[in-house]
Amino acid sequence: MIDSQSVTADAVVGSDSRGFDGGKLVNDRKRHVVVATLGLLLGVMVTAADTGDRIAAQVLLAQVTDAYHRLALVWADAGYTGSLIEYCRGSSPT
């Protein structure tokens, strides 16, 4: 499963790594997480909150599939539609 969460960072986090997430109305950072069906953490990436879920997911899923070659199915919510679906179909083994 893949999902993201916009979070408020500590005051020591530089402004260059922050962004505004208009959907959640948070001006800070975003965690992107991939977990197994048992909840075991497979991959995590932190970006500015204005980074789109689809773009971050492409990078994170590439890293996860390099480490876990048997990954065959990813569950995601509606925030990951469009170009990410085409990306996953194009990079899936035949």
Side-chain angles (χ1 to χ4, degrees):
M1 292 179 264
I2 186 168
D3 207 357
S4 67
Q5 178 183 28
S6 295
V7 295
T8 302
D10 194 59
V12 297
V13 174
S15 62
D16 58 334
S17 67
R18 295 175 186 239
F20 184 73
D21 181 356
K24 304 281 185 188
L25 301 177
V26 173
N27 187 19
D28 244 320
R29 304 181 88 189
K30 189 182 280 189
R31 287 189 282 249
H32 305 271
V33 179
V34 177
V35 297
T37 54
L38 294 174
L40 302 171
L41 184 65
L42 300 179
V44 64
M45 184 170 70
V46 177
T47 64
D50 58 357
T51 302
D53 290 346
R54 295 175 199 117
I55 301 300
Q58 288 182 11
V59 175
L60 184 55
L61 287 174
Q63 293 172 357
V64 169
T65 54
D66 284 346
Y68 302 96
H69 302 287
R70 294 178 50 189
L71 183 67
L73 176 67
V74 176
W75 286 314
D77 61 20
Y80 295 94
T81 58
S83 62
L84 181 62
I85 293 172
E86 297 306 317
Y87 170 80
C88 289
R89 285 183 182 155
S91 64
S92 64
T94 56

